[in-house]
Coordinates of all heavy atoms in Angstrom, one line a residue:
A1302 N 80.2 99.4 78.4 CA 78.8 99.9 78.1 C 77.7 99.3 78.9 O 76.8 100.0 79.3 CB 78.6 99.6 76.6
G1303 N 77.9 98.0 79.2 CA 76.8 97.4 80.1 C 76.8 98.0 81.5 O 75.7 98.2 82.0
L1304 N 78.0 98.3 82.0 CA 78.0 98.9 83.4 C 77.5 100.4 83.3 O 76.8 100.8 84.2 CB 79.4 98.9 83.9 CG 79.7 99.5 85.3 CD1 78.9 98.6 86.3 CD2 81.2 99.5 85.6
A1305 N 77.8 101.1 82.2 CA 77.4 102.4 82.0 C 75.8 102.4 81.9 O 75.2 103.3 82.5 CB 78.0 103.0 80.8
R1306 N 75.3 101.5 81.2 CA 73.8 101.4 81.1 C 73.2 101.1 82.4 O 72.1 101.7 82.8 CB 73.4 100.4 80.1 CG 72.0 100.2 79.8 CD 71.7 99.3 78.6 NE 72.2 98.0 78.8 CZ 73.3 97.5 78.2 NH1 73.9 98.2 77.3 NH2 73.7 96.3 78.5
Q1307 N 73.8 100.2 83.2 CA 73.2 99.8 84.5 C 73.2 100.9 85.5 O 72.3 101.1 86.3 CB 74.0 98.6 85.0 CG 73.4 98.0 86.3 CD 74.1 96.8 86.7 OE1 75.0 96.2 86.0 NE2 73.8 96.2 87.9
L1308 N 74.3 101.8 85.5 CA 74.4 102.9 86.4 C 73.9 104.2 85.8 O 74.1 105.2 86.5 CB 75.9 103.0 86.9 CG 76.5 101.8 87.5 CD1 77.9 102.1 88.0 CD2 75.7 101.3 88.7
R1309 N 73.4 104.2 84.6 CA 72.8 105.4 84.0 C 73.9 106.4 83.8 O 73.7 107.6 84.1 CB 71.7 105.9 84.7 CG 70.6 104.9 85.1 CD 69.9 104.3 84.0 NE 68.7 103.6 84.3 CZ 68.7 102.3 84.7 NH1 69.8 101.6 84.8 NH2 67.5 101.7 85.1
L1310 N 75.1 106.0 83.3 CA 76.2 106.9 83.2 C 76.5 107.3 81.7 O 76.3 106.5 80.8 CB 77.5 106.3 83.8 CG 77.5 106.1 85.3 CD1 78.7 105.3 85.7 CD2 77.7 107.5 85.9
G1311 N 77.0 108.5 81.5 CA 77.4 108.9 80.2 C 78.8 109.6 80.3 O 79.3 109.8 81.4
I1312 N 79.3 110.0 79.2 CA 80.6 110.7 79.2 C 80.5 112.0 80.1 O 79.5 112.8 79.9 CB 81.1 111.1 77.8 CG1 81.2 109.8 77.0 CG2 82.4 111.9 77.8 CD1 82.3 108.8 77.5
G1313 N 81.4 112.2 81.0 CA 81.4 113.4 81.8 C 80.8 113.2 83.2 O 81.0 114.0 84.1
D1314 N 80.0 112.1 83.3 CA 79.4 111.8 84.6 C 80.4 111.2 85.6 O 81.5 110.8 85.2 CB 78.2 110.8 84.5 CG 77.0 111.4 83.7 OD1 76.9 112.6 83.6 OD2 76.3 110.6 83.1
T1315 N 80.1 111.2 86.9 CA 81.0 110.8 87.9 C 80.5 109.4 88.4 O 79.4 109.2 88.7 CB 81.1 111.8 89.1 OG1 81.6 113.0 88.6 CG2 82.0 111.2 90.1
I1316 N 81.5 108.5 88.5 CA 81.2 107.2 89.1 C 82.0 107.1 90.4 O 83.2 107.5 90.5 CB 81.7 106.0 88.1 CG1 81.3 104.7 88.7 CG2 83.1 106.1 87.8 CD1 81.5 103.5 87.7
T1317 N 81.4 106.6 91.4 CA 82.0 106.4 92.7 C 82.4 105.0 92.9 O 81.6 104.1 92.8 CB 81.0 106.8 93.8 OG1 80.6 108.2 93.6 CG2 81.7 106.7 95.2
L1318 N 83.7 104.8 93.3 CA 84.2 103.5 93.5 C 84.5 103.3 95.0 O 85.1 104.2 95.7 CB 85.5 103.3 92.7 CG 85.5 103.5 91.2 CD1 86.8 103.2 90.6 CD2 84.3 102.7 90.6
I1319 N 84.0 102.2 95.6 CA 84.2 101.9 97.0 C 84.9 100.6 97.1 O 84.5 99.5 96.7 CB 82.8 101.8 97.7 CG1 82.0 103.1 97.4 CG2 83.0 101.5 99.2 CD1 80.6 102.9 97.9
S1320 N 86.1 100.7 97.8 CA 86.9 99.5 98.1 C 87.0 99.2 99.6 O 87.3 100.1 100.3 CB 88.3 99.6 97.5 OG 89.1 98.6 97.9
P1321 N 86.8 97.9 100.0 CA 86.9 97.7 101.4 C 88.3 97.7 101.9 O 88.6 97.9 103.1 CB 86.3 96.2 101.6 CG 86.6 95.6 100.2 CD 86.4 96.8 99.2
D1322 N 89.3 97.6 101.0 CA 90.7 97.6 101.4 C 91.2 99.1 101.3 O 91.8 99.5 100.3 CB 91.5 96.7 100.5 CG 91.1 95.3 100.7 OD1 90.7 94.9 101.8 OD2 91.2 94.5 99.7
G1323 N 90.8 99.9 102.3 CA 91.1 101.3 102.2 C 92.2 101.7 103.1 O 93.3 101.0 103.3
L1324 N 92.0 102.8 103.8 CA 93.0 103.4 104.7 C 93.2 102.6 106.0 O 92.2 102.1 106.5 CB 92.7 104.8 105.0 CG 92.6 105.8 103.8 CD1 92.1 107.2 104.3 CD2 94.0 106.0 103.2
Q1325 N 94.4 102.4 106.4 CA 94.7 101.8 107.7 C 94.7 102.8 108.8 O 95.5 103.8 108.8 CB 96.0 101.0 107.6 CG 96.1 100.0 106.5 CD 95.2 98.8 106.9 OE1 94.9 98.5 108.0 NE2 94.8 98.1 105.8
T1326 N 93.8 102.7 109.8 CA 93.7 103.6 110.9 C 93.9 102.8 112.2 O 93.9 101.6 112.2 CB 92.4 104.4 110.9 OG1 91.3 103.4 111.1 CG2 92.2 105.0 109.5
V1327 N 94.0 103.5 113.3 CA 94.1 102.9 114.6 C 92.8 102.1 114.9 O 92.8 101.2 115.7 CB 94.3 103.9 115.7 CG1 95.7 104.6 115.5 CG2 93.2 105.0 115.7
A1328 N 91.7 102.5 114.3 CA 90.4 101.8 114.5 C 90.2 100.6 113.6 O 89.2 99.9 113.6 CB 89.3 102.8 114.4
G1329 N 91.2 100.4 112.7 CA 91.1 99.3 111.7 C 91.1 99.9 110.3 O 91.6 101.0 110.0
T1330 N 90.6 99.1 109.3 CA 90.6 99.5 107.9 C 89.3 100.2 107.6 O 88.2 99.6 107.8 CB 90.9 98.3 107.0 OG1 92.1 97.6 107.4 CG2 90.9 98.7 105.6
S1331 N 89.4 101.4 107.1 CA 88.2 102.1 106.6 C 88.1 102.0 105.1 O 89.1 102.0 104.4 CB 88.3 103.6 107.0 OG 89.4 104.2 106.4
P1332 N 86.9 101.8 104.6 CA 86.7 101.7 103.1 C 87.3 103.0 102.4 O 87.2 104.1 102.9 CB 85.2 101.5 102.9 CG 84.7 101.1 104.3 CD 85.6 101.7 105.3
R1333 N 87.8 102.8 101.2 CA 88.3 103.9 100.4 C 87.2 104.2 99.4 O 86.7 103.3 98.7 CB 89.5 103.5 99.7 CG 90.1 104.8 98.9 CD 91.4 104.3 98.1 NE 92.4 103.9 99.0 CZ 93.3 104.7 99.6 NH1 93.3 106.0 99.3 NH2 94.3 104.2 100.3
V1334 N 86.8 105.5 99.4 CA 85.7 105.9 98.5 C 86.3 107.1 97.6 O 86.7 108.1 98.2 CB 84.5 106.4 99.2 CG1 83.4 106.9 98.3 CG2 84.0 105.3 100.2
N1335 N 86.3 106.9 96.3 CA 86.8 107.9 95.4 C 85.8 108.1 94.2 O 85.1 107.1 93.8 CB 88.1 107.6 94.8 CG 89.3 107.9 95.8 OD1 89.0 108.3 96.9 ND2 90.5 107.6 95.4
G1336 N 85.6 109.3 93.8 CA 84.8 109.5 92.6 C 85.7 109.9 91.4 O 86.7 110.6 91.5
Y1337 N 85.3 109.4 90.2 CA 86.1 109.6 89.0 C 85.2 110.0 87.8 O 84.1 109.4 87.7 CB 86.9 108.4 88.6 CG 87.9 107.9 89.6 CD1 87.5 106.9 90.5 CD2 89.2 108.5 89.7 CE1 88.5 106.5 91.5 CE2 90.1 108.0 90.6 CZ 89.7 107.0 91.5 OH 90.6 106.6 92.5
P1338 N 85.6 110.9 87.0 CA 84.7 111.2 85.8 C 84.9 110.1 84.8 O 86.0 109.5 84.6 CB 85.3 112.5 85.3 CG 86.7 112.5 85.8 CD 86.7 111.8 87.1
V1339 N 83.8 109.8 84.1 CA 83.8 108.8 83.0 C 84.3 109.5 81.7 O 83.6 110.5 81.2 CB 82.4 108.2 82.8 CG1 82.5 107.2 81.6 CG2 82.0 107.5 84.1
V1340 N 85.4 109.1 81.2 CA 86.0 109.7 80.0 C 85.9 108.8 78.7 O 86.1 109.3 77.6 CB 87.4 110.1 80.2 CG1 87.5 111.2 81.3 CG2 88.3 108.9 80.5
H1341 N 85.6 107.5 79.0 CA 85.6 106.6 77.8 C 84.6 105.5 78.2 O 84.7 104.9 79.3 CB 87.0 106.1 77.5 CG 87.0 105.1 76.4 ND1 87.3 103.8 76.6 CD2 86.9 105.3 75.1 CE1 87.4 103.2 75.4 NE2 87.1 104.1 74.5
I1342 N 83.8 105.1 77.2 CA 82.9 103.9 77.4 C 83.1 103.0 76.2 O 83.0 103.4 75.0 CB 81.4 104.4 77.4 CG1 81.2 105.3 78.6 CG2 80.5 103.2 77.5 CD1 79.8 105.9 78.7
F1343 N 83.3 101.7 76.4 CA 83.6 100.8 75.4 C 82.6 99.7 75.4 O 82.0 99.3 76.4 CB 85.0 100.2 75.5 CG 85.2 99.5 76.9 CD1 84.8 98.2 77.1 CD2 85.9 100.2 77.9 CE1 85.0 97.6 78.3 CE2 86.0 99.6 79.1 CZ 85.6 98.3 79.3
K1344 N 82.4 99.1 74.2 CA 81.6 97.9 74.0 C 82.3 96.9 73.2 O 82.5 97.2 72.0 CB 80.2 98.2 73.4 CG 79.3 97.0 73.2 CD 78.0 97.4 72.5 CE 77.1 96.2 72.3 NZ 75.9 96.5 71.6
V1345 N 82.7 95.8 73.7 CA 83.5 94.8 73.0 C 82.6 93.6 72.5 O 83.1 92.8 71.8 CB 84.7 94.3 73.8 CG1 85.6 95.4 74.2 CG2 84.2 93.5 75.0
G1346 N 81.4 93.5 73.1 CA 80.5 92.4 72.6 C 80.5 91.2 73.6 O 79.8 90.2 73.3
R1347 N 81.1 91.3 74.7 CA 81.1 90.3 75.8 C 80.3 90.9 77.0 O 80.8 91.9 77.5 CB 82.4 89.8 76.2 CG 83.1 88.7 75.2 CD 84.3 88.1 75.9 NE 83.9 87.4 77.1 CZ 83.6 86.1 77.1 NH1 83.5 85.4 76.0 NH2 83.3 85.5 78.3

């Protein structure tokens, strides 16, 4: 829930994840960028 609040996200919105350890190419490693819909938001109290 804290991350959802920080990124202004709700159920059904799309969050984009960027990882530096992406695809291996002849030019080196390119970041992997994927978008995913938010289907569940939890708050555990930490």
